[in-house]
């Protein structure tokens, strides 16, 4: 009986966490949003600040650092696109680490990434689109 309960629990954990391993998907059209540290060109209209994030203390432990980074960028592009933007000036990036253990055995790993940027709507010819 205990074995079947443990097996069922392990299957449930896998089903809930495996999708968390992949980067956030881009919404249609968001692939054309440019993310850069370069200031927005003259003629662009500021739309607002966008925050992209991926991970967390549970799902982030099962997600590669590359997917955390890519997912946070994709989330930011999706949000900028939702505002009607096509250009994001990246202002800040934070990576969080979850630490666990006791005095003699402490470990930690990156579990989340958050990007903050300013979204703009720019004439396509100004930004190479």
């Amino acid at each position: 009986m205990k074995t079947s309960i443990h097996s069922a629990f392990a299957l449930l954990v896998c089903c809930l966490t495996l999708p968390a391993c992949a980067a956030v998907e881009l919404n249609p059209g968001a692939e054309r949003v440019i993310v850069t540290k370069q200031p927005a060109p003259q003629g662009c209209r500021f739309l607002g600040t966008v925050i992209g994030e991926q991970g967390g203390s549970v799902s982030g432990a099962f997600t590669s650092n590359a997917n955390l980074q890519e997912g946070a960028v994709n989330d930011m592009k999706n949000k900028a696109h939702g505002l009607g933007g096509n250009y994001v000036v990246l202002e800040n990036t934070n990576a969080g680490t979850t630490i666990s253990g006791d005095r003699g055995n402490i470990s930690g790993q990156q579990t989340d990434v958050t990007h903050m940027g300013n979204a703009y709507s720019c004439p396509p010819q100004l930004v190479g689109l």
Side-chain angles (χ1 to χ4, degrees), residues 72-96:
V73 169
N74 289 351
D75 188 41
M76 188 167 54
K77 285 182 170 189
N78 289 340
K79 290 174 179 172
H81 185 259
L83 293 174
N86 60 0
Y87 194 88
V88 176
V89 178
L90 183 63
E91 299 292 338
N92 191 13
T93 297
N94 290 308

mmCIF file of all heavy atoms in Angstrom, residues 72-96:
data_model
loop_
_atom_site.group_PDB
_atom_site.id
_atom_site.type_symbol
_atom_site.label_atom_id
_atom_site.label_comp_id
_atom_site.label_asym_id
_atom_site.label_seq_id
_atom_site.Cartn_x
_atom_site.Cartn_y
_atom_site.Cartn_z
ATOM 1 N N ALA A 72 11.836 34.486 -18.513
ATOM 2 C CA ALA A 72 11.604 35.838 -17.994
ATOM 3 C C ALA A 72 11.609 36.866 -19.123
ATOM 4 O O ALA A 72 10.795 37.787 -19.135
ATOM 5 C CB ALA A 72 12.655 36.184 -16.943
ATOM 6 N N VAL A 73 12.507 36.692 -20.099
ATOM 7 C CA VAL A 73 12.525 37.593 -21.262
ATOM 8 C C VAL A 73 11.240 37.421 -22.065
ATOM 9 O O VAL A 73 10.601 38.395 -22.479
ATOM 10 C CB VAL A 73 13.769 37.349 -22.148
ATOM 11 C CG1 VAL A 73 13.651 38.080 -23.476
ATOM 12 C CG2 VAL A 73 15.030 37.797 -21.425
ATOM 13 N N ASN A 74 10.841 36.173 -22.298
ATOM 14 C CA ASN A 74 9.615 35.919 -23.054
ATOM 15 C C ASN A 74 8.395 36.505 -22.356
ATOM 16 O O ASN A 74 7.517 37.081 -23.010
ATOM 17 C CB ASN A 74 9.422 34.422 -23.285
ATOM 18 C CG ASN A 74 10.396 33.849 -24.282
ATOM 19 O OD1 ASN A 74 11.138 34.568 -24.950
ATOM 20 N ND2 ASN A 74 10.419 32.531 -24.386
ATOM 21 N N ASP A 75 8.342 36.384 -21.032
ATOM 22 C CA ASP A 75 7.232 36.949 -20.267
ATOM 23 C C ASP A 75 7.197 38.464 -20.426
ATOM 24 O O ASP A 75 6.136 39.063 -20.609
ATOM 25 C CB ASP A 75 7.366 36.541 -18.797
ATOM 26 C CG ASP A 75 6.161 36.919 -17.953
ATOM 27 O OD1 ASP A 75 5.019 36.772 -18.427
ATOM 28 O OD2 ASP A 75 6.359 37.348 -16.802
ATOM 29 N N MET A 76 8.368 39.093 -20.394
ATOM 30 C CA MET A 76 8.444 40.546 -20.571
ATOM 31 C C MET A 76 8.007 40.949 -21.980
ATOM 32 O O MET A 76 7.273 41.923 -22.162
ATOM 33 C CB MET A 76 9.870 41.030 -20.280
ATOM 34 C CG MET A 76 9.997 42.532 -20.250
ATOM 35 S SD MET A 76 11.559 43.113 -19.565
ATOM 36 C CE MET A 76 12.734 42.240 -20.546
ATOM 37 N N LYS A 77 8.446 40.188 -22.998
ATOM 38 C CA LYS A 77 8.028 40.475 -24.381
ATOM 39 C C LYS A 77 6.513 40.322 -24.533
ATOM 40 O O LYS A 77 5.873 41.143 -25.198
ATOM 41 C CB LYS A 77 8.733 39.522 -25.355
ATOM 42 C CG LYS A 77 10.180 39.845 -25.604
ATOM 43 C CD LYS A 77 10.749 38.865 -26.630
ATOM 44 C CE LYS A 77 12.117 39.260 -27.102
ATOM 45 N NZ LYS A 77 12.549 38.425 -28.247
ATOM 46 N N ASN A 78 5.950 39.283 -23.925
ATOM 47 C CA ASN A 78 4.497 39.084 -23.994
ATOM 48 C C ASN A 78 3.755 40.274 -23.396
ATOM 49 O O ASN A 78 2.767 40.749 -23.957
ATOM 50 C CB ASN A 78 4.089 37.805 -23.251
ATOM 51 C CG ASN A 78 4.503 36.544 -23.968
ATOM 52 O OD1 ASN A 78 4.773 36.528 -25.171
ATOM 53 N ND2 ASN A 78 4.577 35.447 -23.227
ATOM 54 N N LYS A 79 4.240 40.762 -22.267
ATOM 55 C CA LYS A 79 3.579 41.886 -21.599
ATOM 56 C C LYS A 79 3.735 43.172 -22.399
ATOM 57 O O LYS A 79 2.782 43.959 -22.522
ATOM 58 C CB LYS A 79 4.116 42.038 -20.175
ATOM 59 C CG LYS A 79 3.653 40.893 -19.278
ATOM 60 C CD LYS A 79 4.274 40.928 -17.906
ATOM 61 C CE LYS A 79 3.751 39.768 -17.063
ATOM 62 N NZ LYS A 79 4.452 39.654 -15.787
ATOM 63 N N ALA A 80 4.912 43.399 -22.967
ATOM 64 C CA ALA A 80 5.120 44.589 -23.797
ATOM 65 C C ALA A 80 4.225 44.536 -25.031
ATOM 66 O O ALA A 80 3.593 45.531 -25.406
ATOM 67 C CB ALA A 80 6.583 44.702 -24.210
ATOM 68 N N HIS A 81 4.165 43.380 -25.656
ATOM 69 C CA HIS A 81 3.309 43.211 -26.835
ATOM 70 C C HIS A 81 1.845 43.442 -26.477
ATOM 71 O O HIS A 81 1.094 44.045 -27.245
ATOM 72 C CB HIS A 81 3.514 41.812 -27.434
ATOM 73 C CG HIS A 81 2.777 41.596 -28.693
ATOM 74 N ND1 HIS A 81 1.593 40.903 -28.753
ATOM 75 C CD2 HIS A 81 3.049 41.989 -29.963
ATOM 76 C CE1 HIS A 81 1.164 40.879 -29.992
ATOM 77 N NE2 HIS A 81 2.026 41.530 -30.750
ATOM 78 N N GLY A 82 1.437 42.983 -25.301
ATOM 79 C CA GLY A 82 0.071 43.198 -24.831
ATOM 80 C C GLY A 82 -0.277 44.670 -24.664
ATOM 81 O O GLY A 82 -1.438 45.056 -24.792
ATOM 82 N N LEU A 83 0.735 45.487 -24.397
ATOM 83 C CA LEU A 83 0.527 46.936 -24.289
ATOM 84 C C LEU A 83 0.580 47.627 -25.652
ATOM 85 O O LEU A 83 0.381 48.831 -25.738
ATOM 86 C CB LEU A 83 1.603 47.563 -23.384
ATOM 87 C CG LEU A 83 1.588 47.193 -21.910
ATOM 88 C CD1 LEU A 83 2.806 47.792 -21.198
ATOM 89 C CD2 LEU A 83 0.306 47.692 -21.254
ATOM 90 N N GLY A 84 0.929 46.862 -26.697
ATOM 91 C CA GLY A 84 1.083 47.447 -28.028
ATOM 92 C C GLY A 84 2.514 47.838 -28.325
ATOM 93 O O GLY A 84 2.781 48.568 -29.283
ATOM 94 N N GLY A 85 3.455 47.359 -27.519
ATOM 95 C CA GLY A 85 4.861 47.738 -27.684
ATOM 96 C C GLY A 85 5.626 46.820 -28.614
ATOM 97 O O GLY A 85 5.227 45.677 -28.860
ATOM 98 N N ASN A 86 6.749 47.341 -29.107
ATOM 99 C CA ASN A 86 7.644 46.550 -29.948
ATOM 100 C C ASN A 86 9.110 46.751 -29.559
ATOM 101 O O ASN A 86 10.003 46.245 -30.226
ATOM 102 C CB ASN A 86 7.435 46.860 -31.433
ATOM 103 C CG ASN A 86 7.686 48.311 -31.788
ATOM 104 O OD1 ASN A 86 8.017 49.139 -30.930
ATOM 105 N ND2 ASN A 86 7.521 48.634 -33.058
ATOM 106 N N TYR A 87 9.362 47.497 -28.478
ATOM 107 C CA TYR A 87 10.725 47.815 -28.060
ATOM 108 C C TYR A 87 10.735 47.911 -26.533
ATOM 109 O O TYR A 87 9.900 48.601 -25.946
ATOM 110 C CB TYR A 87 11.138 49.156 -28.672
ATOM 111 C CG TYR A 87 12.608 49.476 -28.623
ATOM 112 C CD1 TYR A 87 13.454 49.067 -29.648
ATOM 113 C CD2 TYR A 87 13.153 50.209 -27.579
ATOM 114 C CE1 TYR A 87 14.810 49.377 -29.630
ATOM 115 C CE2 TYR A 87 14.498 50.525 -27.546
ATOM 116 C CZ TYR A 87 15.323 50.111 -28.573
ATOM 117 O OH TYR A 87 16.667 50.415 -28.559
ATOM 118 N N VAL A 88 11.658 47.198 -25.888
ATOM 119 C CA VAL A 88 11.783 47.247 -24.429
ATOM 120 C C VAL A 88 13.218 47.590 -24.079
ATOM 121 O O VAL A 88 14.154 46.948 -24.549
ATOM 122 C CB VAL A 88 11.404 45.905 -23.765
ATOM 123 C CG1 VAL A 88 11.641 45.955 -22.263
ATOM 124 C CG2 VAL A 88 9.959 45.534 -24.065
ATOM 125 N N VAL A 89 13.371 48.613 -23.247
ATOM 126 C CA VAL A 89 14.683 48.961 -22.709
ATOM 127 C C VAL A 89 14.813 48.236 -21.371
ATOM 128 O O VAL A 89 14.093 48.535 -20.414
ATOM 129 C CB VAL A 89 14.838 50.483 -22.521
ATOM 130 C CG1 VAL A 89 16.199 50.804 -21.912
ATOM 131 C CG2 VAL A 89 14.642 51.209 -23.845
ATOM 132 N N LEU A 90 15.718 47.253 -21.329
ATOM 133 C CA LEU A 90 15.941 46.463 -20.122
ATOM 134 C C LEU A 90 16.630 47.335 -19.079
ATOM 135 O O LEU A 90 17.704 47.877 -19.318
ATOM 136 C CB LEU A 90 16.799 45.238 -20.449
ATOM 137 C CG LEU A 90 17.075 44.263 -19.323
ATOM 138 C CD1 LEU A 90 15.773 43.633 -18.820
ATOM 139 C CD2 LEU A 90 18.031 43.180 -19.804
ATOM 140 N N GLU A 91 16.013 47.476 -17.923
ATOM 141 C CA GLU A 91 16.529 48.338 -16.869
ATOM 142 C C GLU A 91 17.184 47.574 -15.724
ATOM 143 O O GLU A 91 18.122 48.060 -15.103
ATOM 144 C CB GLU A 91 15.401 49.217 -16.310
ATOM 145 C CG GLU A 91 14.771 50.149 -17.320
ATOM 146 C CD GLU A 91 15.701 51.253 -17.796
ATOM 147 O OE1 GLU A 91 16.673 51.587 -17.090
ATOM 148 O OE2 GLU A 91 15.451 51.790 -18.886
ATOM 149 N N ASN A 92 16.660 46.366 -15.425
ATOM 150 C CA ASN A 92 17.142 45.654 -14.249
ATOM 151 C C ASN A 92 16.875 44.157 -14.397
ATOM 152 O O ASN A 92 15.869 43.757 -14.964
ATOM 153 C CB ASN A 92 16.413 46.186 -13.008
ATOM 154 C CG ASN A 92 17.024 45.717 -11.721
ATOM 155 O OD1 ASN A 92 18.126 45.182 -11.689
ATOM 156 N ND2 ASN A 92 16.299 45.891 -10.633
ATOM 157 N N THR A 93 17.788 43.358 -13.868
ATOM 158 C CA THR A 93 17.620 41.909 -13.825
ATOM 159 C C THR A 93 18.006 41.408 -12.444
ATOM 160 O O THR A 93 19.025 41.821 -11.901
ATOM 161 C CB THR A 93 18.519 41.213 -14.882
ATOM 162 O OG1 THR A 93 18.109 41.634 -16.179
ATOM 163 C CG2 THR A 93 18.422 39.705 -14.790
ATOM 164 N N ASN A 94 17.173 40.545 -11.895
ATOM 165 C CA ASN A 94 17.462 39.920 -10.600
ATOM 166 C C ASN A 94 17.306 38.418 -10.733
ATOM 167 O O ASN A 94 16.378 37.943 -11.374
ATOM 168 C CB ASN A 94 16.486 40.413 -9.520
ATOM 169 C CG ASN A 94 16.723 41.848 -9.160
ATOM 170 O OD1 ASN A 94 17.838 42.237 -8.855
ATOM 171 N ND2 ASN A 94 15.665 42.646 -9.190
ATOM 172 N N ALA A 95 18.223 37.700 -10.117
ATOM 173 C CA ALA A 95 18.134 36.244 -10.048
ATOM 174 C C ALA A 95 18.080 35.859 -8.584
ATOM 175 O O ALA A 95 18.923 36.277 -7.795
ATOM 176 C CB ALA A 95 19.331 35.591 -10.733
ATOM 177 N N GLY A 96 17.067 35.092 -8.228
ATOM 178 C CA GLY A 96 16.902 34.672 -6.845
ATOM 179 C C GLY A 96 17.453 33.287 -6.605
ATOM 180 O O GLY A 96 17.470 32.447 -7.496
#
